[in-house]
Amino acid sequence: MVEKNPRTILLFLYFSSGISALIYQIIWIRLMGEVFGNSTYAISTVIAAYMAGLALGSWYGGKFNKKRSNQLLYYLLLEIGIGISALLVSLIILNIDNFYGIVYTFLNQNLTSLLIIRFLIGFILILLPTAFMGATLPTISKYIIRNFSKLGSDYSILYFVNTLGGLTGVVLSAFFMIEYFGLYITLFCAITLNILIGFLVYIIFYRSKRPEDLSIESELLISSSGSKPENSPTVFTEYNSSIILLTAFITGFTSFAYEILWTRSLVFFIGNSTYSYSLILIIFLFGIAAGSVLIKSFIDRIINFWKVIILTQSAIILFSILTIFLFTSFPHIDLFKPGHSNWINYLSHNLLTTSVIILIPAILMGITFPILNKLYINRIENVSNKVGNIYAVNTIGSIFGSLICGFILIPILGINRSIVFISLIIFVLVSYLIIKFFSLKKYRFFKFSLPVVFIISFVILFFINLPPFISYDEKDIEDIIFYEEGVSATTKVYLDPDGHKKMTVNGVLMGGDSNKAMRKQKMLAYLPLLLKQDVKDIYVVGLGTGATLVEFANFSGSAKIDCAEICPSVLNGSNLF
């Protein structure tokens, strides 16, 4: 079996490694959420720390591989190392709440200090296993990418296999394993899978004493005579390598920024459940995997790679702007109206809505990254180092994209304007690539259209009122009197046709000043006071319109009342009640 197709076996093992990697991410977010809280800040810092570990492992893994001849043994140790370190990290997370409680008290609930400490804790804890994960890509690429004439298709299939593994991990953990077996058994299965992969590599390739079956066919992009292989990309220079890495960084930045923006937008239409977020991740990964498969068949026959990159990025810009109008249209199209009568209808509706927004740009993103790798790898001997470098740069871009978009752009610009702003970043990149690699004399249309498109986008960004997000439950809006898109949620206060005020958070009704709404809000205070009249302390979770808090204050005598609200936008909106 080894003699016939060892690469197929390695690809299957790498697919399995992708499954465990996404299972870890989902479980660690769940476990750390119990300690740090499930706010946008907490989840984002955990994901950023996770991605930072991947980038670090990819960068140093590629450099380490460059100096090692027996990298199959290195891959074996990495997989076992992922499993063992994941076990240790998980045990620490399960027992870290006491330590974090002391830190929380010491910092006197200072949000900025807590954000920094939270990131450092998350980074330190998951650095080792995620660094091992990041190092697996440059390591295994040495054995999958063996011939320069097939470099593009080989990397595309490698990218596809690992992405498909991640998608499978999300489906298994989010929809089946956690529900039926619980967090701990699911975690144990992921740990076992990584260790099993390591032992299978040893048994299949080392006990058979045929690791040489995976010997590398050496072929230079530019030979000593200065010629280059047929169908190879543009001659590689250090200057071009800087442009390639810059493009990799920006595409990583914008892809994760879009993912954050579309996730925040889709909450209005598919709900705020764990399943909804999992569906968004599934469609995103599926699109990337599909894009890498689509490009596989003809990537090694492309003559002008920059033209393909320019076209794919331009298509992403157009579709991104289109999504602003799609979000406005969803509530008025029967096809996208929610069907929550049963589980299948719920999933089908959310799957359809998510696919319309995310699938096409995700496919385009999946096409772009294999092309960048094809451009960047100048010698087959440098595969590990080059793959590690470009993956690390792309991942670092992803980290900055998610953090800057979530914590800075959305609070300042709002979701729709942030979509336009990210599109402008891609537009600037596309314009630079056109100017750099194409003669504007030949493409006169671009010479005049580039500044015009930029000015139009700039005007839209800062001077045109873009439509707010309206969910299916907000069809009774007569007039919006308050609208704020914060870091964690979008809060809206509006008047219905009867003149009553209502507050919604991410499109879900929180309360209002009508008689029906007031009865419900007051009852939340009356019921616990009926059960226990002589109270000394009261803790209200969620401010909303403030009606429940006021009723506690009116009827609880001298009791001390604390109210916790995670969204500053809700605090601002409650002033209207």
Side-chain angles (χ1 to χ4, degrees):
M1 185 177 181
V2 176
E3 294 179 9
K4 289 184 178 180
N5 204 341
R7 293 174 75 245
T8 301
I9 298 172
L10 277 179
L11 285 171
F12 176 76
L13 294 177
Y14 194 52
F15 164 82
S16 304
S17 183
I19 293 176
S20 65
L22 263 293
I23 291 177
Y24 289 135
Q25 184 179 10
I26 289 174
I27 289 180
W28 285 337
I29 289 174
R30 290 280 295 271
L31 292 178
M32 289 188 178
E34 295 178 7
V35 181
F36 297 154
N38 283 312
S39 69
T40 302
Y41 290 110
I43 294 172
S44 297
T45 49
V46 170
I47 293 177
Y50 189 97
M51 299 295 290
L54 291 179
L56 194 66
S58 177
W59 182 271
Y60 283 103
K63 295 187 181 305
F64 183 86
N65 269 283
K66 189 178 180 181
K67 302 174 183 178
R68 298 291 180 275
S69 58
N70 193 353
Q71 285 140 340
L72 198 57
L73 176 62
Y74 182 39
Y75 179 68
L76 179 159
L77 295 174
L78 284 174
E79 291 290 351
I80 295 177
I82 293 171
I84 295 173
S85 59
L87 174 62
L88 294 174
V89 165
S90 302
L91 290 173
I92 294 172
I93 294 174
L94 290 171
N95 295 279
I96 202 175
D97 53 336
N98 291 330
F99 169 75
Y100 186 67
I102 295 170
V103 172
Y104 185 86
T105 305
F106 177 76
L107 293 174
N108 197 26
Q109 304 179 23
N110 182 280
L111 182 59
T112 303
S113 300
L114 283 171
L115 281 175
I116 296 171
I117 294 297
R118 198 182 289 157
F119 178 80
L120 290 175
I121 291 174
F123 183 84
I124 293 169
L125 281 178
I126 64 178
L127 176 64
L128 190 59
T130 52
F132 285 158
M133 292 176 199
T136 58
L137 176 61
T139 303
I140 200 169
S141 64
K142 193 78 171 180
Y143 293 95
I144 302 302
I145 305 172
R146 300 186 295 161
N147 188 313
F148 196 88
S149 63
K150 298 178 181 178
L151 187 154
S153 60
D154 283 345
Y155 183 83
S156 297
I157 197 65
L158 185 64
Y159 192 47
F160 163 75
V161 163
N162 192 240
T163 305
L164 187 64
L167 189 156
T168 306
V170 175
V171 173
L172 287 176
S173 57
F175 290 91
F176 298 103
M177 295 181 71
I178 292 176
E179 180 178 356
Y180 292 105
F181 304 113
L183 283 173
Y184 301 135
I185 293 180
T186 304
L187 176 64
F188 177 77
C189 290
I191 292 169
T192 304
L193 182 59
N194 281 119
I195 296 174
L196 181 62
I197 290 170
F199 279 111
L200 285 175
V201 171
Y202 173 76
I203 292 170
I204 295 173
F205 295 105
Y206 276 90
R207 289 195 63 181
S208 66
K209 296 182 181 180
R210 292 297 301 275
E212 66 274 11
D213 286 343
L214 294 169
S215 59
I216 301 165
E217 302 172 27
S218 177
E219 182 181 343
L220 303 183
L221 170 59
I222 304 175
S223 66
S224 57
S225 62
S227 61
K228 58 181 180 179
E230 186 180 357
N231 294 329
S232 64
T234 307
V235 175
F236 182 91
T237 65
E238 289 301 319
Y239 181 72
N240 280 353
S241 72
S242 300
I243 298 176
I244 295 166
L245 291 177
L246 174 66
T247 306
F249 177 86
I250 292 176
T251 53
F253 181 98
T254 55
S255 64
F256 262 66
Y258 278 137
E259 186 178 0
I260 296 291
L261 291 166
W262 289 330
T263 299
R264 281 290 304 274
S265 306
L266 284 164
V267 163
F268 284 86
F269 309 104
I270 67 176
N272 201 23
S273 70
T274 302
Y275 295 113
S276 299
Y277 279 113
S278 299
L279 278 174
I280 291 170
L281 184 56
I282 287 169
I283 297 298
F284 199 77
L285 290 173
F286 177 80
I288 290 174
S292 61
V293 168
L294 285 174
I295 196 66
K296 173 185 177 296
S297 302
F298 54 88
I299 187 172
D300 292 310
R301 299 195 299 271
I302 296 174
I303 297 175
N304 194 323
F305 289 92
W306 288 114
K307 183 180 290 187
V308 178
I309 291 173
I310 288 168
L311 289 174
T312 55
Q313 294 302 304
S314 299
I316 290 173
I317 294 172
L318 293 174
F319 193 85
S320 301
I321 300 300
L322 177 63
T323 58
I324 296 174
F325 302 99
L326 286 174
F327 287 130
T328 307
S329 305
F330 276 162
H332 309 290
I333 302 175
D334 291 337
L335 182 63
F336 297 104
K337 289 181 179 178
H340 294 172
S341 57
N342 58 57
W343 174 243
I344 299 299
N345 285 345
Y346 171 80
L347 284 182
S348 301
H349 164 261
N350 287 358
L351 189 66
L352 173 65
T353 308
T354 305
S355 299
V356 167
I357 297 298
I358 291 179
L359 187 57
I360 293 176
I363 291 173
L364 294 170
M365 293 170 190
I367 289 173
T368 303
F369 197 59
I371 292 177
L372 288 173
N373 276 269
K374 173 78 173 180
L375 277 168
Y376 188 61
I377 302 170
N378 61 324
R379 295 163 63 101
I380 202 69
E381 290 87 352
N382 290 344
V383 164
S384 294
N385 189 34
K386 293 293 185 179
V387 168
N389 290 353
I390 195 169
Y391 181 74
V393 170
N394 183 257
T395 304
I396 292 170
S398 302
I399 296 169
F400 279 98
S402 59
L403 292 177
I404 291 175
C405 182
F407 295 154
I408 299 175
L409 293 183
I410 292 177
I412 294 175
L413 297 177
I415 298 172
N416 280 335
R417 294 187 193 280
S418 294
I419 291 175
V420 177
F421 183 80
I422 297 300
S423 300
L424 272 177
I425 292 176
I426 301 179
F427 180 77
V428 171
L429 172 67
V430 168
S431 302
Y432 173 74
L433 295 178
I434 290 173
I435 293 169
K436 199 73 208 167
F437 293 106
F438 298 93
S439 170
L440 288 182
K441 293 181 180 179
K442 186 177 181 181
Y443 298 94
R444 291 183 179 179
F445 172 76
F446 288 110
K447 182 177 181 180
F448 297 102
S449 64
L450 291 179
V452 172
V453 173
F454 184 84
I455 292 170
I456 292 173
S457 302
F458 187 84
V459 170
I460 292 173
L461 183 61
F462 292 105
F463 297 103
I464 295 180
N465 290 325
L466 296 173
F469 290 93
I470 307 295
S471 73
Y472 302 108
D473 296 330
E474 298 173 314
K475 288 186 176 180
D476 58 344
I477 290 179
E478 188 73 19
D479 183 31
I480 297 175
I481 57 178
F482 175 83
Y483 186 85
E484 184 176 329
E485 294 174 342
V487 172
S488 55
T490 300
T491 302
K492 189 186 295 105
V493 178
Y494 65 89
L495 298 176
D496 66 13
D498 297 324
H500 296 301
K501 293 179 186 176
K502 291 184 177 180
M503 173 187 279
T504 58
V505 177
N506 285 339
V508 178
L509 184 64
M510 293 291 109
D513 62 2
S514 67
N515 290 334
K516 182 179 178 181
M518 289 301 293
R519 280 198 300 270
K520 177 183 176 182
Q521 294 166 107
K522 290 180 177 181
M523 192 65 69
L524 292 173
Y526 296 158
L527 286 176
L529 289 174
L530 284 172
L531 295 173
K532 187 175 178 62
Q533 285 92 26
D534 187 21
V535 291
K536 298 286 191 277
D537 295 288
I538 297 172
Y539 187 64
V540 183
V541 181
L543 176 63
T545 64
T548 303
L549 178 64
V550 169
E551 291 305 305
F552 270 122
N554 289 337
F555 294 96
S556 60
S558 60
K560 178 190 175 185
I561 305 174
D562 288 310
C563 179
E565 175 54 58
I566 200 171
C567 301
S569 58
V570 172
L571 237 66
N572 298 331
S574 68
N575 292 325
L576 296 172
F577 291 86

